[in-house]
Amino acid sequence: MTKMICQRILLKLSGEALMSEAGGSIDADIIKRLASEIKDLSDQGIQVGLVIGGGNILRGADKASEGLDRVTSDQMGMLATVINALAMQDALEHLGQQARVMSALKINQVCEDYIRRRAVRHLEKGRVVIFAAGTGNPFFTTDSAASLRAIEINAELMIKATKVKGVYSADPEKVKDAKFYPRLTYDEALDQRLNVMDTTALVLCRDNNIPMRVMNVFEKGAIMKLMMGEEIGSLIERGTRNDQ
Ligand code: UDP
């Protein structure tokens, strides 16, 4: 087996990553492709925790702006992440990869409750663990949930999936000469409001010293190349300013 740079990772996919170009909320081919990339990692002995957002179905803040109660709309958003998690569990199982959805909200006729020690045990047994329902609390995002779970399971690296190569000074799809950052610190991402993740998520990673790789996971085999030591995407780490 090839030596991998990490044994345990937390991968964060946005809900939109599952959407079809025509706007369908979950595209069967896309989810199959992502599931196959994840299975390849697991086959190499990498333990994979996964957080999938819910933005392809519903975002609490959007519904609240239409007049819905914010707590209720965030609960709807959290349930949307469970739908995506179940779809991914199914896609992984179809490929012969064991997976478990663990929800921060109790819906244990559908999936397991999130219990940290049990999640770690699943990972040790080679099962992909899909953390659903975010943090279980309104007013948070699944980026924050991903940071939290990454810390709780002692992931060595968090990978944040984007549609572009990594972190830029501005949206490269809108600004032609946006500068690409191969490496930066959490404080630089925070100070420059680089829109990588929300502030809570960035601060959680910074304070708990979890490195984060921002990269395009839609390039076939990109995560595997990263795991084999290639420099892919942007690396965000804690800078000297916070090193105590
Ligand atoms: N959400 C929440 N608490 C959490 C995580 C998510 O209330 O801890 C809700 C929130 O309404 C959010 C929705 O779930 O808008 C979907 O998550 P997110 O917007 O992070 O999904 P993504 O943008 O990654 O697809």
Side-chain angles (χ1 to χ4, degrees):
M1 226 181 245
T2 326
K3 179 104 178 68
M4 299 286 151
I5 61 164
C6 291
Q7 294 307 305
R8 185 176 292 167
I9 60 170
L10 189 293
L11 174 62
K12 162 72 201 323
L13 299 172
S14 71
E16 276 169 8
L18 309 182
M19 280 178 100
S20 66
E21 286 196 4
S25 56
I26 302 177
D27 183 281
D29 289 333
I30 293 177
I31 205 162
K32 254 187 242 165
R33 215 178 61 216
L34 288 166
S36 146
E37 301 267 330
I38 293 165
K39 181 183 187 307
D40 288 347
L41 298 172
S42 181
D43 288 346
Q44 291 300 320
I46 298 168
Q47 298 175 14
V48 186
L50 192 59
V51 169
I52 312 177
N56 53 328
I57 301 171
L58 189 144
R59 282 206 179 89
D62 296 345
K63 286 284 148 201
S65 70
E66 292 168 15
L68 239 89
D69 170 67
R70 177 65 193 262
V71 174
T72 305
S73 49
D74 276 342
Q75 287 168 337
M76 291 162 70
M78 286 187 267
L79 291 175
T81 72
V82 179
I83 294 175
N84 287 335
L86 291 173
M88 179 58 83
Q89 177 179 250
D90 185 79
L92 287 164
E93 284 175 350
H94 266 94
L95 295 174
Q97 171 63 51
Q98 285 198 21
R100 295 286 189 276
V101 175
M102 302 192 96
S103 171
L105 293 173
K106 282 193 198 303
I107 37 173
N108 48 31
Q109 285 178 308
V110 175
C111 57
E112 293 183 27
D113 295 336
Y114 170 65
I115 296 169
R116 177 179 166 263
R117 283 174 184 277
R118 201 168 285 172
V120 169
R121 193 77 195 109
H122 283 320
L123 289 168
E124 286 167 353
K125 286 186 174 169
R127 296 170 185 149
V128 172
V129 177
I130 311 166
F131 300 103
T135 62
N137 299 293
F139 304 103
F140 285 91
T141 64
T142 49
D143 279 357
S144 296
S147 307
L148 179 64
R149 297 295 181 241
I151 296 161
E152 285 183 290
I153 64 167
N154 296 318
E156 291 150 87
L157 179 71
M158 170 149 146
I159 299 174
K160 157 99 176 172
T162 50
K163 283 185 276 180
V164 291
K165 190 172 139 192
V167 182
Y168 288 82
S169 56
D171 183 348
E173 286 175 356
K174 291 184 191 142
V175 181
K176 247 178 140 190
D177 53 0
K179 186 171 178 264
F180 172 70
Y181 296 112
R183 264 169 194 260
L184 67 161
T185 65
Y186 278 108
D187 284 319
E188 283 164 342
L190 285 159
D191 292 348
Q192 296 178 45
R193 297 176 190 281
L194 289 178
N195 220 3
V196 184
M197 279 192 133
D198 62 67
T199 313
T200 314
L202 284 171
V203 170
L204 262 175
C205 285
R206 182 194 66 187
D207 292 353
N208 293 280
N209 210 7
I210 294 244
M212 178 160 72
R213 187 62 76 162
V214 181
M215 60 182 282
N216 184 349
V217 299
F218 302 98
E219 260 177 51
K220 207 175 169 337
I223 312 180
M224 184 64 86
K225 284 185 194 156
L226 174 75
M227 290 296 119
M228 290 167 80
E230 261 185 58
E231 278 290 319
I232 291 181
S234 304
L235 178 67
I236 313 181
E237 350 170 67
R238 204 156 80 156
T240 44
R241 231 205 292 172
N242 286 291
D243 289 339
Q244 307 290 333

